[in-house]
Amino acid sequence: MSQMNRRRALQLLAALGTTGLAAGCGSGSDTAEETKPGSPIKIGLIVPGSGPNKVIGDEIANGFQLFLALNDGQLGGHPVTVVTAEEGDTAKTGLAAVDQLLKEGVLALTGVVSSVVMSGIRDAVEQARVPLIGSNASPISLQSVVYIWRTSYVLNEPGEALGQYLRQTLDESSTIAIFGTQGPSSRDVIDGLRRGYEQGGRRLTEEPIFTPDYPNPGKGAYTGTIRKALDRRPAPDAIFCHYSGTQAVQFIKQLYAQGYRGPIYAPGFLTEGTVLSQLDDGERGEERALIQKYGIETALNYSADLNNTANRVFASAYRKAHNASPTTFAMASYDAAQVLDKAIRLVGGNPTPQQVNLALGKIGQIDSPRGAWQFNQPRTPQQKWYLRKVQLDGRLLSNVVISELATLG
């Protein structure tokens, strides 16, 4: 929260109920003097309203709206109207969303869950010269952009952070079975794993196993593939995988059902959102016992239990508004609003998209719930990556930060 009066924010949070955030918290000085708001502006939000990515789209919408709720519904002193467009899951649907929002006269765009959509709208955004602050999709192939910024991560980074960790943790003779979905996202993640792991003579000897990108995988979707991997000789000592949502739930369940008894490593999407609640079968449950005994460790740029002032404000407000802990998706969207707030404030007056884009390169360090970060030359965050382990937090399975892994970007 740039320049936010945190004492006032904490007082506000203490008064908030569980039904939502009705009041805002302004940014500025400690005085009671109110500044006159600037001219109204529109921000275009591109998210999926249906399909398997809807849950991520909802988190992105929640994170952006939470920043507005804590800042009097303003960005940079200007009242904001958020105009939402359906992302879909193809380049065509993404382009339709961009076209719709440009016709609305938006000052900037944000959101975008799918890497396919992000790659598909790249040229349209660059030609329109309207800044897009992407809060999720960030494929490696998105290079040499001027108007596209990302507050999430580049997809090879979680794999690279974990690869460095596994190189230090696992014996050199260890065999790692690697799983992921077909498509560019898993390939980017696995490229990062190789980059981090294959140093000092280390090699990943097993070829990755790519499974269909099932929207809603059934109870036997991964069984044959898993069985084939477990029957290899030597048998895998560890599993590395790239799944999220329903795919993550089914993959982990079927992995244990096929007799795997060993550690699981993955980018943090594997255990984000409602995944752990769907895996937690109670104190006497077999899956909970297996997770506790053999371990699931993930790398991510955020955890809801990070102990810093910005996260205490953000996570507390998010829990009060949505009765759930925030995810990295909500956090990155909250930060997208935060960087827009800083850039628009720098421009002042009557901002244009081109002026905002120039200002984005001047905003400096962001005081984020994930910890401080800043944009690098490719317009992505230079940020810390954390090692998280699934552990009991009270009676529930949670992602608990164990240590810092690396600073990448």
Side-chain angles (χ1 to χ4, degrees):
M1 291 174 293
S2 59
Q3 305 174 4
M4 185 176 184
N5 180 351
R6 287 184 174 77
R7 181 167 56 84
R8 186 181 169 197
L10 292 169
Q11 290 171 346
L12 169 68
L13 294 177
L16 287 172
T18 59
T19 58
L21 297 169
C25 178
S27 54
S29 67
D30 288 340
T31 68
E33 182 181 353
E34 297 293 334
T35 59
K36 185 178 180 180
S39 56
I41 59 174
K42 293 180 180 180
I43 303 296
L45 177 65
I46 303 173
V47 288
S50 61
N53 285 333
K54 180 183 183 299
V55 63
I56 299 176
D58 290 345
E59 290 273 342
I60 287 173
N62 291 345
F64 199 89
Q65 292 289 357
L66 180 61
F67 185 89
L68 293 178
L70 290 172
N71 287 274
D72 293 325
Q74 298 183 19
L75 293 177
H78 294 259
V80 173
T81 298
V82 177
V83 184
T84 302
E86 171 60 47
E87 175 179 334
D89 55 9
T90 66
K92 184 177 180 179
T93 57
L95 286 168
V98 170
D99 184 58
Q100 172 194 333
L101 294 171
L102 292 178
K103 289 177 179 177
E104 289 275 356
V106 298
L107 181 66
L109 302 163
T110 190
V112 188
V113 173
S114 165
S115 291
V116 172
V117 171
M118 179 64 86
S119 297
I121 66 176
R122 172 211 160 120
D123 291 345
V125 172
E126 293 288 296
Q127 290 167 12
R129 299 175 67 214
V130 173
L132 164 61
I133 297 83
S135 50
N136 189 63
S138 189
I140 295 175
S141 59
L142 201 68
Q143 302 290 336
S144 303
V145 289
V146 176
Y147 281 85
I148 299 178
W149 308 72
R150 288 151 283 171
T151 57
S152 51
Y153 41 76
V154 181
L155 270 171
N156 63 338
E157 291 176 353
E160 183 176 352
L162 264 181
Q164 294 176 8
Y165 171 69
L166 295 181
R167 179 166 46 85
Q168 298 165 0
T169 303
L170 298 180
D171 185 86
E172 190 169 358
S173 62
S174 297
T175 300
I176 306 172
I178 304 169
F179 294 85
T181 56
Q182 293 169 349
S185 296
S186 285
R187 294 185 186 278
D188 284 352
V189 168
I190 293 169
D191 284 347
L193 174 69
R194 291 190 183 280
R195 181 175 176 177
Y197 186 83
E198 292 186 339
Q199 299 178 30
R202 288 284 186 104
R203 289 292 178 267
L204 292 168
T205 57
E206 299 295 324
E207 285 298 314
I209 300 168
F210 294 106
T211 58
D213 192 7
Y214 300 111
N216 292 290
K219 293 183 178 180
Y222 304 109
T223 299
T225 304
I226 291 170
R227 186 72 265 149
K228 185 177 178 180
L230 296 184
D231 286 343
R232 289 176 178 175
R233 291 295 175 264
D237 300 295
I239 298 289
F240 177 92
C241 59
H242 177 233
Y243 296 103
S244 63
T246 303
Q247 293 181 348
V249 173
Q250 287 301 326
F251 180 80
I252 294 171
K253 283 178 175 287
Q254 291 169 44
L255 189 63
Y256 287 144
Q258 289 303 305
Y260 177 70
R261 301 294 182 263
I264 300 171
Y265 303 98
F269 334 121
L270 186 77
T271 54
E272 279 290 272
T274 61
V275 172
L276 289 181
S277 64
Q278 294 179 68
L279 289 172
D280 196 342
D281 48 3
E283 295 179 9
R284 298 183 181 180
E286 182 181 8
E287 285 168 2
R288 176 193 272 209
L290 291 171
I291 291 171
Q292 289 182 266
K293 182 174 181 179
Y294 296 103
I296 298 178
E297 293 184 332
T298 64
L300 202 60
N301 59 347
Y302 176 69
S303 177
D305 69 348
L306 286 175
N307 187 20
N308 61 62
T309 302
N311 190 49
R312 286 194 293 272
V313 172
F314 167 68
S316 176
Y318 194 94
R319 290 184 181 109
K320 288 180 183 294
H322 302 288
N323 197 29
S325 292
T327 64
T328 188
F329 312 118
M331 178 277 299
S333 188
Y334 180 87
D335 274 2
Q338 185 171 191
V339 300
L340 279 171
D341 177 67
K342 295 186 75 170
I344 294 168
R345 194 175 301 281
L346 281 176
V347 174
N350 296 302
T352 67
Q354 295 77 34
Q355 289 172 330
V356 172
N357 196 67
L358 286 172
L360 285 166
K362 304 175 183 178
I363 59 177
Q365 195 170 83
I366 305 300
D367 185 15
S368 167
R370 78 187 83 177
W373 66 271
Q374 60 189 16
F375 282 122
N376 56 19
Q377 189 172 3
R379 290 163 159 71
T380 62
Q382 183 179 36
Q383 62 187 322
K384 291 179 180 178
W385 286 86
Y386 302 95
L387 178 68
R388 314 184 313 171
K389 186 170 185 177
V390 178
Q391 296 181 343
L392 283 178
D393 183 7
R395 297 178 129 188
L396 300 176
L397 292 175
S398 301
N399 294 299
V400 178
V401 172
I402 302 301
S403 64
E404 293 179 12
L405 285 174
T407 297
L408 299 175

